[in-house]
Amino acid sequence: MLYSELAETFDRLESTSSRLEMTDILAAFLKTADRSELRSIVYLSQGKLHPDFVPGVLGMADRLVLRAIAFTSGTPEDKVEKMWVETGDPGNVAESLISRKKQMTLFSEDLTVERVVKGLTAIQDADGKDSQERKMKTLANMLHDSGPLEARYLCRTVTGRMRVGAADMTILDALAIAFSTKEDRPAIERAFNITCDIGLVAETIATGGMDAIRAIDVSVGSPVKVMLAERLPSVAQIVERMGGRCAIEYKYDGIRVQAHIGKDGVRLFSRRLEDLTSNFPDIAEELRRTCRYGEAIIEGECVAIDPDTGNMLPFQNVTHRRKKHGMDEAVKEVPVRIFMFDCLYRDGEDMTSSPYLDRRAALETGFEIGGAVQMTTMRIVESEEEGEDFFSSAVASRCEGIMAKSIESDSVYRAGNRGFLWIKYKKDYQQALTDSFDLAVVGAFYGMGKRAGRYGALLMAAYDQETCRFETVCKLGTGFDDAFLDGMPALLDGTLSETKPADVDAEMVPDVWFEPAVVLEVVAAEITLSPIHTAARDVIKDGAGLGIRFPRFTGRVRDDKSPEQCTTVGEIVDMYGMQAHDSDGLSE
Ligand code: AMP
C-alpha cells in the first residue's frame, strides 16, 4: 500500500472530533487494507512501530527534522526554522514546504507503507557515531518521495506528535465493525487487555476471525493490562458491598510490577508497560531463584525498605530505582522487597479466570517466600470492626491503606478493568473529603510576583474513557516547592503544543498548552459543580461540569502512569456521588 493512502486516512481522522465518525473511517479503511500490512498500519496510526512494551521509541529532535526538510525542499535552514517558530509543528512546516517543491520523477521511488516502516525502524535504531546524520538522511530520503500530506505525518511521527485520534478503544470498535459484530466487542477487548498489543489483535481478527481472537491466551513476555480497584468512603460500606465477607490486604506504597518469569529469564513491567527489569535487577533475580514454576506471571508492589530498621519507606524512596545511573549503589542503598498479590499465569495455565483465593494459593505454593520475596499481608474479615482493626494495623505498618478483594467464585482477574471486585480505602479518605487524583497537565499559566518568569499554575485534566478525551477539572497553583517550579520547564516543555491539543476539552485558556503526557498527584477538599471546567459537562447538571476545590500538588509526579491511566471522569462522577452521600450522613 502507498503511504499516501494512509496519510489521507489520517487527515480524514484528524478533521473530525466525532468518535463515531472516526470509528467508521477507520473501519472502512482497515477492511480494505492488505492483511499483511494491517499490523504496521495500526501501529502507525498511533505514531508507533510496535506495541509499547517493546523497547525503542521514535524521538527525533525537532531541529534534526527541520534540517531534513530544508535539505529536501532546498529551503534555507533559517527560513525553515522561522516557520517552525511560527507554527510549533515540524509537520506543518514540512507540509507547506514539500508542497512547493518541484516533483522530481527521475530518481523517485514509491513511498510505500513497507518503505516507511523500514525507514522509521532505521531512524529508531540508529545508534553511535554519525547516528544523527544517518537519521536526518533517512528522513530526507522519505521526504523526497512524499507529497505534502505524507510529509506532515512523517514529521509528526518521527517527533512523537502523532495524535489523529486513533485511541485503542476507537481501533477496537473499528475492528469489531470491520471484521465481526458489535456483540463481539467485549471478546476483542479482552484479547487486547491480555496482550496489550493492538496490532496483534488487528492481524488476528483479520486473518483468523473471532475463533482466533478467543484462542488468544495470556503468555509470558506480553504484559497484561492491570486490574484496578474501585473506592468507597468507609470500611463499613466496603464490607457490606462485598456481601459481609471478603479478603483485605495491606495497600503498600510502592511501584506496581508485573513480573514475567520465563525460561529465558525474568522481565518486569510497570503498569504503563515500561520495562522495569533494569531498575529492579535484584527483584528479578530473587523471583527467578525462588519461583518453583517453569513459567509464571505474577504481580506485586515493590517497596523500599530502610536498611537500618527494616521498616517500609514511602514511595519516593523507590523512585530512586527509576534513575538509570548508579544502579549498583542504589541496589545497596535502597533495598527493595516485592509484596506479591496476584498470579495471572503458571506453567501453561491462564489463571485470570480463576477465583482470587486460588490465585493467591498459586503464589504461596509457587514461591519460596522470604527475604525480598514476600506475600502481601492478608486477612479474611467478616465485620466492619475486623476491617477497621486491620486498617489500623496497615497504617501502623506504614502502608497507604487497605485493598479489599472479593473471595466469591466470580472473583476473577479482570484485566484492564476497574470494578468492585477490588475496593481500595486509603488513609487520606479520613482526612479529606475525597481521594487523591492523578491528573494530566494540559496547560500552564505564567507566574506573577515571586513566580514571575516561571510557570505559576497548571491546567489539569481527567481522562474520559468513553470519549477518549481529556477534560479539565482545576487550575493547580499550590503545593509547588522551588525545586519543582524550577524543574517545570524540563518536565513539561517537551510536550508543548502551539494550539489546544486535539484530544483536550477546555474552556479555560492557559498561556501555553501541553499535549497530555505528565501526570501529577493532587489532593483536594471537595468536588463541586463548575461553570468553567469541562469534566462531566451536563452529566450532573445541564451547563455545568465538575471541578475540584482547593487542589494541592502532593509532590508526587506519577511517572508510572500514562495520561490515559490518570483519574477518569467516570471516577470523579462516582466520587462526587459518594461525597453527596457523605454529607447526607453528616446532616442526619
Ligand atoms: P491507586 O494507584 O491509588 O489507584 O491504587 C492501586 C494501586 O495500589 C495498585 O496499582 C498497586 O500499585 C497498589 N497496591 C498496593 N498494595 C496492593 C495490594 N495489596 N493489592 C493490589 N494493589 C496494591
Side-chain angles (χ1 to χ4, degrees):
M1 178 188 281
L2 286 177
Y3 184 63
S4 57
E5 290 176 56
L6 197 53
E8 274 157 28
T9 307
F10 292 159
D11 186 45
R12 291 181 62 209
L13 285 174
E14 217 183 345
S15 58
T16 173
S17 58
S18 150
R19 187 167 162 204
L20 278 181
E21 218 172 299
M22 280 183 203
T23 311
D24 287 341
I25 295 170
L26 264 173
F29 182 70
L30 295 176
K31 209 170 177 166
T32 56
D34 189 335
R35 312 255 140 130
S36 65
E37 288 185 327
L38 208 57
R39 210 167 166 146
S40 299
I41 288 172
V42 166
Y43 297 141
L44 286 174
S45 69
Q46 298 192 325
K48 299 173 196 166
L49 287 170
H50 43 62
D52 286 338
F53 61 86
V54 174
V57 276
L58 275 162
M60 239 173 117
D62 283 359
R63 281 182 202 283
L64 205 54
V65 174
L66 299 180
R67 274 184 56 208
I69 300 170
F71 182 79
T72 321
S73 64
T75 315
E77 281 188 31
D78 56 345
K79 186 169 171 217
V80 177
E81 182 143 352
K82 191 162 167 259
M83 287 174 76
W84 170 62
V85 171
E86 277 159 17
T87 68
D89 177 359
N92 290 349
V93 178
E95 183 178 8
S96 51
L97 288 176
I98 300 290
S99 63
R100 278 190 232 129
K101 85 171 176 154
K102 284 197 209 77
Q103 293 298 321
M104 295 175 60
T105 47
L106 193 54
F107 299 107
S108 302
E109 187 194 328
D110 278 347
L111 189 67
T112 58
V113 168
E114 194 186 342
R115 191 177 148 205
V116 167
V117 170
K118 266 198 197 138
L120 294 177
T121 309
I123 290 175
Q124 178 188 272
D125 296 346
D127 197 12
K129 199 167 157 264
D130 301 335
S131 60
Q132 300 303 317
E133 208 55 26
R134 276 182 279 129
K135 284 185 188 193
M136 198 281 284
K137 291 220 169 107
T138 310
L139 178 60
N141 198 289
M142 291 192 280
L143 289 177
H144 175 268
D145 295 325
S146 296
L149 264 192
E150 294 107 288
R152 183 208 287 173
Y153 292 111
L154 276 177
C155 291
R156 287 199 185 151
T157 304
V158 292
T159 55
R161 283 189 177 82
M162 258 307 266
R163 277 178 175 263
V164 292
D168 294 334
M169 294 304 131
T170 313
I171 295 180
L172 294 177
D173 286 346
L175 290 174
I177 295 173
F179 301 107
S180 184
T181 59
K182 276 193 180 155
E183 286 67 55
D184 283 331
R185 174 67 171 71
I188 303 171
E189 185 165 342
R190 177 174 191 274
F192 173 57
N193 285 340
I194 60 171
T195 58
C196 294
D197 187 343
I198 196 104
L200 171 79
V201 174
E203 189 181 71
T204 307
I205 193 169
T207 52
M210 282 310 293
D211 286 346
I213 286 286
R214 290 200 182 89
I216 291 183
D217 254 341
V218 167
S219 71
V220 171
S222 293
V224 178
K225 273 205 174 185
V226 298
M227 175 167 176
L228 296 164
E230 278 288 352
R231 50 165 78 68
L232 279 175
S234 72
V235 174
Q237 285 181 51
I238 292 176
V239 177
E240 190 193 329
R241 174 90 202 202
M242 289 286 190
R245 189 163 177 268
C246 62
I248 300 193
E249 298 181 13
Y250 283 3
K251 185 176 190 303
Y252 297 83
D253 190 14
I255 291 184
R256 183 175 190 159
V257 160
Q258 190 176 90
H260 288 237
I261 304 164
K263 299 201 170 69
D264 305 327
V266 178
R267 274 184 84 187
L268 307 178
F269 294 104
S270 73
R271 56 187 282 175
R272 59 183 298 185
L273 312 183
E274 294 157 321
D275 193 321
L276 292 180
T277 319
S278 60
N279 303 75
F280 298 106
D282 44 346
I283 294 296
E285 172 53 24
E286 280 302 281
L287 285 172
R288 194 200 55 73
R289 193 183 64 74
T290 56
C291 184
R292 298 188 178 115
Y293 299 125
E295 285 191 325
I297 304 176
I298 63 106
E299 279 192 346
E301 191 86 352
C302 282
V303 184
I305 304 293
D306 183 329
D308 299 325
T309 62
N311 287 336
M312 285 189 269
L313 295 170
F315 165 81
Q316 285 75 2
N317 295 278
V318 85
T319 56
H320 290 302
R321 288 291 193 94
R322 295 176 74 88
K323 292 183 188 148
K324 296 260 175 288
H325 303 292
M327 189 51 69
D328 289 349
E329 293 84 81
V331 167
K332 280 190 216 115
E333 276 166 29
V334 192
V336 167
R337 276 189 197 151
I338 183 162
F339 291 89
M340 299 188 293
F341 55 76
D342 224 308
C343 180
L344 281 55
Y345 173 89
R346 61 166 173 189
D347 289 340
E349 187 186 356
D350 178 344
M351 296 211 69
T352 55
S353 307
S354 306
Y356 163 80
L357 287 174
D358 292 356
R359 302 201 307 278
R360 192 164 168 101
L363 288 175
E364 277 160 353
T365 53
F367 288 82
E368 196 184 305
I369 308 293
V373 176
Q374 298 286 336
M375 295 289 298
T376 51
T377 302
M378 184 275 268
R379 187 187 297 168
I380 307 274
V381 301
E382 298 191 344
S383 67
E384 177 192 350
E385 292 69 32
E386 282 176 5
E388 288 286 2
D389 182 55
F390 192 68
F391 173 75
S392 307
S393 65
V395 173
S397 303
R398 298 163 195 250
C399 284
E400 256 191 317
I402 49 176
M403 272 284 193
K405 298 186 177 178
S406 167
I407 50 175
E408 299 296 311
S409 55
D410 64 352
S411 57
V412 296
Y413 186 94
R414 298 192 61 214
N417 277 284
R418 189 183 293 283
F420 282 99
L421 290 175
W422 287 9
I423 307 176
K424 59 183 172 180
Y425 180 72
K426 295 201 232 174
K427 51 184 183 230
D428 334 347
Y429 297 10
Q430 297 184 319
Q431 288 140 22
L433 205 50
T434 61
D435 187 10
S436 58
F437 304 80
D438 297 317
L439 301 173
V441 183
V442 296
F445 302 85
Y446 293 126
M448 288 188 288
K450 267 168 64 182
R451 292 190 186 173
R454 303 192 278 193
Y455 295 135
L458 300 173
L459 184 58
M460 307 298 295
Y463 184 60
D464 187 331
Q465 275 180 324
E466 300 296 313
T467 59
C468 302
R469 299 179 69 74
F470 291 86
E471 302 172 355
T472 70
V473 288
C474 68
K475 182 175 171 181
L476 175 69
T478 47
F480 303 146
D481 58 18
D482 276 343
F484 186 77
L485 287 165
D486 288 342
M488 268 200 222
L491 182 69
L492 294 165
D493 284 359
T495 64
L496 269 173
S497 171
E498 189 64 13
T499 50
K500 179 155 70 73
D503 51 359
V504 170
D505 283 335
E507 271 184 25
M508 200 177 250
V509 181
D511 295 316
V512 292
W513 291 105
F514 299 114
E515 296 285 354
V518 175
V519 178
L520 303 183
E521 187 181 73
V522 174
V523 287
E526 198 184 0
I527 304 171
T528 52
L529 289 169
S530 159
I532 181 101
H533 288 298
T534 51
R537 181 56 64 88
D538 299 333
V539 172
I540 309 282
K541 190 172 170 222
D542 278 352
L546 289 178
I548 59 177
R549 255 168 37 105
F550 305 123
R552 187 172 53 77
F553 176 48
T554 62
R556 187 161 167 176
V557 178
R558 294 296 308 246
D559 49 11
D560 59 325
K561 288 196 171 180
S562 68
E564 288 80 13
Q565 288 172 334
C566 71
T567 304
T568 63
V569 171
E571 286 179 81
I572 294 180
V573 171
D574 289 348
M575 284 154 91
Y576 180 78
M578 264 160 45
Q579 188 182 283
H581 190 270
D582 261 10
S583 47
D584 286 346
L586 285 177
S587 62
E588 267 175 14

